[in-house]
Amino acid sequence: MHIDEATRSLRRSIIESLSKDSSPLYHIGTLVLEEARRAFPDTGLNCDWACIQLSLTTGKLWAELSEYPSHYGPTRSGSVMLSAASFARIAEDLGFGEMILAFKTEADWDKLFDAELVESLYTAGIEYLPAKLVYERVTVREAGLWDGSFFTYSFLRGLTDLHPEGIFQGSECQSMRGGLRIIANLAKHILDIGGKIHSIVLSQEGDDDPYDYKPFRFDEYDSFESFLDSYSNRLYDNYIAFATFNDAELRVEFNCTEVNVRFPMKQAAAGIAYIHELVKAFGSDSFHEEPGSDELQWDAQTQTVLRTFRLDKAGECFLRTVMNTDGRITGYRLISNAKVAAQYELPPENADAFKQILYKETHKNAAGHIAECCAMYLQHHTPQQLIALAEKHSLIEKHTAETD
């Protein structure tokens, strides 16, 4: 029997058994006496009985072994894990059925656990956690509306999105330490691209006086020049530059772990243009190339912020979100750039359902951003499989299609 036919047959049998008994173990076969001893000669047991099973949790084969009771002591038992190759030798030696004989490698057994079987396991309350699936971390940059009217965008912690040598450039900043150096370079960059600095604020939590209820104390400089003339290398908790660029009111903050940019949503066009300039000056080489990375765009016609997330390393699958000036996501679009390019609409009301389905598939980050959930899935699947999964559950509608 061909492995594809054997896979379909065994999968149907497993799903049927789950409808009757939600056991996380699927029975492959039982061996007794001579058969058991032939199959497991070197286990330290005088093996009289062996039950071979497939774990529906890990996808691995194992055997439960025991001796029959004797007059000389209690029954001894044990268990052993089976590789696909060792089980194939046992199955062939003992003449298992042709369906089972078709499974010879680990990859053959892995094929059993497609979306249909994993969904059946989930319905039966069984969590499929194959040990072989290793996921690389996907980090989605934070962005959204703050205080009802300000768009905020956060670069990754530890400045992993920004070149440290770029942030620290500038001879007048070389003697500064840490955050002072970073905020000085960010402020200088704003001036270099034609913006204006209104003030630089260096703040610390006010914990010297327990009766002082002011949450912060700070030093404020009303120009970049006064900052350079008067700064000290004292450590602060927050470093903030208030500035304008193309009439956008900017607040650029470094808080020891990340850079945050904030501007009024009504000034999104100029604010996003500043972020583009910031990435151009200081962005890492892979800023837009890693799974989870995004590009911002202001759509003047619809007055919306577009974020296009790259979902895979190959750059074949993207997710675009549409945010209106109230900070609400009004649409998602799944974009495939494979041999047949296509775009699919994912209504916002379907986003949570899609995240839950992706969680069933990967067991990763159901609470995360939907772009992160998609990127996790694509580490072990193709864009076509991602689209097929959404179509199967009637969550997306095809928007456009064109052929190369």
Side-chain angles (χ1 to χ4, degrees):
M1 181 181 291
H2 190 273
I3 183 60
D4 290 343
E5 182 182 355
T7 299
R8 289 191 295 270
S9 298
L10 183 54
R11 186 186 298 125
R12 283 196 301 268
S13 178
I14 294 172
I15 292 174
E16 183 180 350
S17 72
L18 287 170
S19 66
K20 301 174 183 176
D21 178 14
S22 57
S23 170
L25 299 172
Y26 178 78
H27 181 259
I28 298 292
T30 299
L31 309 177
V32 294
L33 299 175
E34 182 60 29
E35 287 185 341
R37 297 184 190 115
R38 280 172 56 190
F40 302 100
D42 302 316
T43 61
L45 297 174
N46 185 24
C47 190
D48 297 306
W49 178 87
C51 179
I52 301 175
Q53 304 178 92
L54 173 67
S55 169
L56 300 178
T57 300
T58 66
K60 301 300 181 183
L61 291 159
W62 68 288
E64 185 180 349
L65 312 174
S66 72
E67 295 178 342
Y68 285 148
S70 71
H71 297 293
Y72 304 103
T75 299
R76 294 194 302 162
S77 63
S79 62
V80 293
M81 297 294 297
L82 291 172
S83 68
S86 62
F87 172 72
R89 287 194 296 270
I90 293 171
E92 185 172 357
D93 180 46
L94 297 178
F96 277 57
E98 61 174 345
M99 178 182 72
I100 295 299
L101 289 173
F103 290 85
K104 299 184 181 301
T105 67
E106 302 288 348
D108 291 340
W109 289 101
D110 289 343
K111 289 177 183 178
L112 276 173
F113 294 86
D114 68 349
E116 181 185 14
L117 180 52
V118 172
E119 184 175 353
S120 297
L121 292 171
Y122 183 87
T123 302
I126 299 170
E127 192 172 25
Y128 174 56
L129 298 172
K132 71 177 185 62
L133 290 185
V134 177
Y135 292 87
E136 297 178 12
R137 188 172 65 92
V138 174
T139 304
V140 178
R141 303 176 190 118
E142 294 183 6
L145 213 61
W146 178 82
D147 200 24
S149 59
F150 292 90
F151 184 82
T152 182
Y153 187 89
S154 298
F155 294 86
L156 301 185
R157 293 185 178 276
L159 296 184
T160 54
D161 269 357
L162 303 175
H163 283 303
E165 62 271 25
I167 284 289
F168 296 149
Q169 69 188 2
S171 59
E172 66 268 53
C173 307
Q174 292 305 307
S175 63
M176 298 179 183
R177 292 186 299 167
L180 286 164
R181 244 171 134 181
I182 292 173
I183 200 65
N185 276 278
L186 292 172
K188 181 179 181 298
H189 171 251
I190 291 172
L191 296 173
D192 289 346
I193 61 176
K196 296 180 180 180
I197 300 295
H198 300 295
S199 63
I200 297 175
V201 174
L202 314 176
S203 65
Q204 286 181 301
E205 292 191 15
D207 54 4
D208 291 345
D209 182 356
Y211 299 101
D212 181 6
Y213 293 102
K214 294 180 180 179
F216 292 99
R217 63 177 185 271
F218 60 87
D219 300 322
E220 184 170 13
Y221 306 90
D222 59 5
S223 70
F224 186 56
E225 290 74 17
S226 65
F227 167 72
L228 292 176
D229 290 340
S230 308
Y231 81 89
S232 69
N233 268 321
R234 185 157 52 98
L235 295 177
Y236 293 87
D237 295 309
N238 291 277
Y239 308 80
I240 308 170
F242 292 90
T244 54
F245 173 71
N246 287 353
D247 298 324
E249 302 166 18
L250 300 177
R251 171 181 165 140
V252 182
E253 177 181 5
F254 176 66
N255 63 7
C256 298
T257 58
E258 63 189 14
V259 172
N260 298 304
V261 177
R262 187 173 296 160
F263 47 81
M265 189 66 160
K266 63 183 179 181
Q267 300 169 350
I272 290 174
Y274 165 70
I275 291 177
H276 288 173
E277 293 292 338
L278 185 62
V279 171
K280 189 187 304 181
F282 301 132
S284 65
D285 293 338
S286 61
F287 189 86
H288 296 308
E289 297 177 359
E290 296 299 321
S293 65
D294 65 296
E295 291 192 65
L296 289 171
Q297 180 184 352
W298 171 252
D299 189 324
Q301 184 175 359
T302 60
Q303 295 288 291
T304 55
V305 174
L306 307 179
R307 291 183 76 191
T308 304
F309 296 88
R310 180 173 177 146
L311 301 181
D312 61 339
K313 288 185 177 181
E316 294 183 348
C317 198
F318 299 83
L319 180 75
R320 181 169 296 154
T321 64
V322 182
M323 176 187 289
N324 66 14
T325 53
D326 294 327
R328 185 169 59 88
I329 299 295
T330 60
Y332 295 93
R333 184 167 293 177
L334 195 57
I335 303 168
S336 171
N337 287 342
K339 291 183 178 179
V340 179
Q343 298 186 19
Y344 300 82
E345 295 290 346
L346 173 68
E349 59 270 21
N350 292 349
D352 284 342
F354 195 26
K355 285 169 58 177
Q356 290 299 322
I357 290 167
L358 292 169
Y359 171 71
K360 295 178 190 177
E361 297 287 326
T362 64
H363 303 281
K364 295 288 182 182
N365 286 323
H369 192 282
I370 188 171
E372 182 179 358
C373 297
C374 290
M376 285 287 187
Y377 179 84
L378 286 173
Q379 289 185 23
H380 295 284
H381 299 82
T382 66
Q384 292 78 11
Q385 288 173 317
L386 177 67
I387 291 167
L389 183 63
E391 286 183 321
K392 175 183 175 181
H393 295 275
S394 303
L395 297 175
I396 59 174
E397 296 180 0
K398 198 164 187 178
H399 179 74
T400 62
E402 47 187 66
T403 55
D404 291 340

